[in-house]
Amino acid sequence: MTSVRTTTLGPESDLSQVFELAQQLRVDSVRASTAAGSGHPTSSLSAADLMAVLMTRHLRYDWNAPDNPAGDHLIFSKGHASPLLYAMFKAAGVIGDDELMTTYRRFGHRLQGHPTPVLPWVDLATGSLGQGIAYGVGIALAGRDLEQRPFRVWVLCGDSEMTEGSVWEALDKAGHRRLANFTALIDVNRLGQSGPTELEWDTGAYARRVEAFGCRAVVVDGHDLEAIDHALTVASDGQGPTVVVARTVKGRGASEVADKNGWHGKPLPQDMADRAVAELGGRRDLSVRGPLPPDDSPPPARPAAGPVELPRFEVGDEVATRVAYGKALAALGARPEVVVLDAEVGNSTHAEDFGKAHPDRYFQTYIAEQQMVAEAVGMAVRGFRPYATTFAAFLTRAHDFLRMAAVSRITLAVCGTHSGVEIGADGPSQMGVEDLAMMRALLGSTVLYPSDATSTAALTAAMADLDGIAYLRTTRGAYPVLYRSGEAFPVGGSKTLRHGERDHVTLIGVGVTLHECLKAADDLAAEGIRARVVDLYSVKPVDTDTLTRAARDTGALVVVEDHHPEGGVGEAVLSALAAAGSRPAFAHLAVTVLPGSGTTRELLDQAGISHPHIAEAARRLMKH
Amino acid sequence: MTSVRTTTLGPESDLSQVFELAQQLRVDSVRASTAAGSGHPTSSLSAADLMAVLMTRHLRYDWNAPDNPAGDHLIFSKGHASPLLYAMFKAAGVIGDDELMTTYRRFGHRLQGHPTPVLPWVDLATGSLGQGIAYGVGIALAGRDLEQRPFRVWVLCGDSEMTEGSVWEALDKAGHRRLANFTALIDVNRLGQSGPTELEWDTGAYARRVEAFGCRAVVVDGHDLEAIDHALTVASDGQGPTVVVARTVKGRGASEVADKNGWHGKPLPQDMADRAVAELGGRRDLSVRGPLPPDDSPPPARPAAGPVELPRFEVGDEVATRVAYGKALAALGARPEVVVLDAEVGNSTHAEDFGKAHPDRYFQTYIAEQQMVAEAVGMAVRGFRPYATTFAAFLTRAHDFLRMAAVSRITLAVCGTHSGVEIGADGPSQMGVEDLAMMRALLGSTVLYPSDATSTAALTAAMADLDGIAYLRTTRGAYPVLYRSGEAFPVGGSKTLRHGERDHVTLIGVGVTLHECLKAADDLAAEGIRARVVDLYSVKPVDTDTLTRAARDTGALVVVEDHHPEGGVGEAVLSALAAAGSRPAFAHLAVTVLPGSGTTRELLDQAGISHPHIAEAARRLMKH
């Protein structure tokens, strides 16, 4: 029934051949999803012409050397169009028809339902819509401003996802920075998952929005290969960021489903698939050798790493951990791969200390936390070590981007400042009391929560050598420096600040509550109660050995945290103890009230996490 | 030094009097923040003219009857301008100068650093920027489409916050729905927290964006009272949603700080404050009686609540909990206060069942989860019981809105579907494996996770009578109905499905893992091991009595969940046991791998949460 025609297309192939490639991409999209029994063929068919022109004539990419640093980047923001992407891989010759037809969406295989970087040609996991443009802006920014590389970034988006605010955060940045190496292609196929999109085929509305946000809009018929080719030529002219608004038909080429609602995320049954393949002209075996990356004349050499001289603090001096973070970041700038991103609060978080020392590696995303994280992810894709910082409370804004970064196995440092009720008068909107739960629950994350300036500086530096998402939680107020400079703070460790042979109870604190634990230990000592005090600066991984030893030695643990009780330090400790089979008496003090404004002291007292409450909890535990 | 002039302004007062009011608002903003020793006077001074005109001539509001259902709503999206808002309260005569001067930002008082609904004139907590417009759209939508009330919604925004994507999600909805009762005022004062804003005084750029998103833009000099008055008159003409783009000067009227960087979030020292007050003409004692709400001719009567006839399911039939949720929602529509919001996945979440039954109370926000939650919050402000639904994974997008809803003490039902690796072939981007941690950590939340259709229907209905944020987690696949219709599922309860006199071990499951626990119990029974099985459908609050009884009776608990180990069911159980002083042997099976595509069975096995793993964990526990 099907004929197989073999030939290789390249930049000089005429558009009639590109049309054949587009039909092949459609045929393979239909076949792969029908074989898998799930997937999104109709969303693939609408964008096949866009991708056929792109890969044949414009995408400067060596499929056999995906790590070529001069190669373009292609991001499928509409990750559900994975059949199309994988059909492109087949056309590029990097996967075979057998892999496409027998492994797509199957367990243990790399052609997953939505693309992930398990595949060497995929930078980032997509599938949470509205993220691809944001990542693409980050990669383009790295290419232009950090690497001076010639690559371009191409992002294929769906039209449905244009209602995500994150898209407009990103296009605003593309426009504001005049990122001429950035192009988005919007596949305006009019139909979303459950019905027509909000703007349907109003390509003019998309274009007006894009232009209002500072990018160039080129409206095309997304099935007119010549128009597409022209649009992509314009996009490559180096004059500005471009968004190609392409009017398309969902299911294009398969008349039984074309422009019909009810066919999102459904493979065609075998009989319909057979008819669609026939209508599309049958199987082909075209391959593509598109343009290669320009010769990668070495970019301006990255300066050699200098020695990192961390700031030093005097024991007993009062220094906020956010201040120590800023100073440590500035010092860490001696490592040329370190970059810092701010969401317009750098003077509060002290991230701006880095900006003053290394302005060329400091990126202002203004108040757009999703974009800040997305740009950091994009820079991480290009090999940099980003530190993204804002108030701990406002990191919740970027939760989905952090979640997807974990799925992408991205390495990234995040710092949340102004944690807990400790911040005082600004009130609950500014208090991060949920961030530990959010950051601990990310796959493969590290969560650090230092209590003094010395440990903050050491852990800030340590984050530059960790894999995955590393989170540092800092505090607004100034508290005494506890440790001498040079002391080591291994990730997964802790510090026992008070201990004796026959301690009665162990007090475990972090951040401001460690200082309260020290005061509580003094209160208790006056009564003859010997309290061990542990600084549990590494919340994930947590120091199970020290915890179980404290449980064995003292039989009673009090954990105190400036965070809601769920998902934070207390539960981390409980999980570690349970896994180790250790079952001490346990008290958990955390924030269970809605705070208002007030002084730190008033708010710690109200939340029940100040030293009198800690001492009382210790006394109560010991009575049992 | 200061003179006090007393008079009462109203809609007929001329603009020279309104100017005096604006100066009073400035003076009081400076005085209050200086007295408090913190706060944002300069951000208040820029918007004083806008607010003076609004409250005198346009805001139809009875300050002494803030619950008047016909009254306008005013939202300070730039919540840090609280000195200005509280100065307005003073001018309206609802607080005194003494309260303003001695309690602002003090512990235990209502004039907090950022406004919260502790104040009767505040609908919602603000202070996380970029949220006010979104809430305002929700309130305006409720007023027009659900209540047919004449009120208008006014939102004061900063310019810095216009870079938040959520603003554009919201303006898109205002435009798309032609919400003529909605007006935003952007205080374009050019300076953000740490430096100039991205667009500075480019009011044309703001106007183009606003118009591209379907709203009317009116650009004014934000210190020209006549121009402001004209703009607000236009905004009130009932013709469409309006955004007033007001060019202003930060610190206007206090020449030592006006338009100067470095004065964000800083009170003026007393000497500077004295000079500023003098420059502003000294203290005044003007009061305002602005327009009152129109006579509240009763709107179309809300239909009486009909009986809620929950769907019934046959024990043993295989029904997905998401399906049961949809059917229960549709039934719950008999209660006229119930409204449902979708983010363009209603055919997957089954929220669309409600839409089919009650189209007038079903709101499509398209793919914009932040806006979905914000509209739900806005409707809750107006007394409705919203149910907002999307995939559990994508609720992370709205985390900051959920956090702030908790700060506002909003009552709201949220459902996350497609939880866990259970979903299968779509892969990790679509799998909610962090949502329990997020939802548990919200202040005052309820977290429910049913395992069968009967309990899902009962809990869906129960959510309509809970206070605070109630979360329901549902599952993609179909599993056997376990309970007869009519069985009660109290929040905070659980069901013990297998139990005997001398059980050896307790297996605790939720959702898909409960069904795995039942299979594991069968496996173990064949070996002579008697396993108790508990359906822990209420994760927060959790059934401590049943857990401690199981711990006492069996001495060994296995908790299994389709979620990351942090912050989920296992830690909820550990916290409950620890608080009760119960310390059984404990095993926790949860998702610690990055899944790919596959069948449910393959993915449960890979994650180590399927019945063979549960049985093995039970055996291991019993050996110890």
Side-chain angles (χ1 to χ4, degrees), chain A residues 164 172 194 198 344 369 441, chain B residues 164 172 194 198 344 369 564:
Chain A
E164 283 284 11
D172 170 63
S194 65
E198 191 180 57
E344 230 277 88
E369 295 80 8
Chain B
E164 283 285 10
D172 170 64
S194 65
E198 191 180 57
E344 229 278 87
E369 295 79 8
H564 288 161

Side-chain angles (χ1 to χ4, degrees), chain A residues 138-480:
Chain A
I139 294 172
L141 191 60
R144 189 190 68 178
D145 290 359
L146 292 169
E147 300 185 78
Q148 294 81 45
R149 299 273 187 193
F151 65 72
R152 297 177 188 140
V153 180
W154 309 88
V155 182
L156 176 67
C157 311
D159 48 352
S160 275
E161 64 182 303
M162 300 303 285
T163 46
E164 283 284 11
S166 54
V167 166
W168 302 99
E169 290 184 18
L171 289 178
D172 170 63
K173 294 299 169 292
H176 181 66
R177 298 187 181 122
R178 309 299 309 148
L179 284 177
N181 56 349
F182 173 84
T183 302
L185 300 93
I186 314 177
D187 177 19
V188 186
N189 66 22
R190 196 189 69 84
L191 291 172
Q193 170 174 326
S194 65
T197 61
E198 191 180 57
L199 293 176
E200 302 206 28
W201 272 325
D202 189 352
T203 49
Y206 287 110
R208 285 190 296 278
R209 292 176 184 199
V210 161
E211 295 192 333
F213 276 72
C215 300
R216 301 185 295 181
V218 184
V219 177
V220 297
D221 172 348
H223 303 306
D224 177 338
L225 301 184
E226 199 168 324
I228 295 167
D229 187 48
H230 177 71
L232 299 185
T233 303
V234 168
S236 305
D237 69 4
Q239 297 305 302
T242 307
V243 177
V244 178
V245 181
R247 177 182 164 131
T248 63
V249 173
K250 193 161 178 169
R252 165 80 172 194
S255 53
E256 293 184 69
V257 295
D259 196 34
K260 289 202 173 59
N261 200 17
W263 282 99
H264 183 93
K266 285 187 191 158
L268 305 191
Q270 190 64 56
D271 57 331
M272 285 179 67
D274 290 342
R275 290 193 295 273
V277 169
E279 182 181 353
L280 289 161
R283 286 180 58 185
R284 296 161 182 80
D285 195 18
L286 301 172
S287 62
V288 178
R289 289 284 170 275
L292 288 172
D295 280 342
D296 187 31
S297 49
R302 189 187 271 185
V308 174
E309 301 231 7
L310 287 180
R312 303 175 70 85
F313 305 96
E314 289 300 313
V315 171
D317 282 1
E318 300 204 340
V319 182
T321 54
R322 62 178 170 136
V323 170
Y325 169 72
K327 290 182 192 294
L329 262 193
L332 207 54
R335 291 174 59 161
E337 73 277 21
V338 171
V339 296
V340 173
L341 299 100
D342 174 31
E344 230 277 88
V345 286
N347 54 340
S348 288
T349 64
H350 288 266
E352 75 172 16
D353 291 4
F354 183 94
K356 286 172 182 162
H358 312 282
D360 51 331
R361 284 182 276 143
Y362 185 68
F363 296 88
Q364 182 56 268
T365 55
Y366 299 95
I367 303 180
E369 295 80 8
Q370 295 183 91
Q371 183 61 21
M372 177 179 69
V373 171
E375 286 183 16
V377 168
M379 291 175 184
V381 164
R382 294 300 314 153
F384 293 90
R385 304 275 327 196
Y387 282 69
T389 314
T390 184
F391 286 25
F394 305 143
L395 282 173
T396 55
R397 203 63 163 254
H399 190 172
D400 195 32
F401 280 82
L402 292 165
R403 179 182 75 84
M404 288 298 293
V407 171
S408 291
R409 295 288 197 188
I410 286 293
T411 285
L412 171 68
V414 179
C415 176
T417 68
H418 295 71
S419 55
V421 304
E422 191 274 347
I423 67 161
D426 273 333
S429 63
Q430 321 291 302
M431 295 170 176
V433 280
E434 306 87 353
D435 55 308
L436 291 173
M438 173 175 77
M439 301 304 300
R440 281 184 68 232
L442 297 176
L443 189 71
S445 64
T446 300
V447 176
L448 306 169
Y449 185 6
S451 301
D452 91 329
T454 302
S455 53
T456 300
L459 294 169
T460 300
M463 290 166 89
D465 295 304
L466 295 174
D467 287 334
I469 297 173
Y471 178 56
L472 185 85
R473 187 183 214 225
T474 68
T475 303
R476 180 177 185 276
Y479 297 92

Side-chain angles (χ1 to χ4, degrees), chain A residues 433-438 440 561 563-572 588 590-592, chain B residues 436-445 447 539-540 566-568 571-572 575:
Chain A
V433 280
E434 306 87 353
D435 55 308
L436 291 173
M438 173 175 77
R440 281 184 68 232
E561 61 184 313
H563 184 274
H564 288 160
E566 299 88 0
V569 183
E571 294 194 344
H588 185 194
V591 180
T592 58
Chain B
L436 291 173
M438 172 175 77
M439 300 305 299
R440 280 184 68 231
L442 297 175
L443 188 72
S445 64
V447 177
V539 177
K540 181 184 176 189
E566 299 88 0
E571 294 194 344
S575 280

Side-chain angles (χ1 to χ4, degrees), chain B residues 9-14 56-57 289-292:
Chain B
L9 275 64
E12 302 315 312
S13 300
D14 67 30
T56 311
R57 296 193 171 187
R289 289 285 168 275
L292 288 172

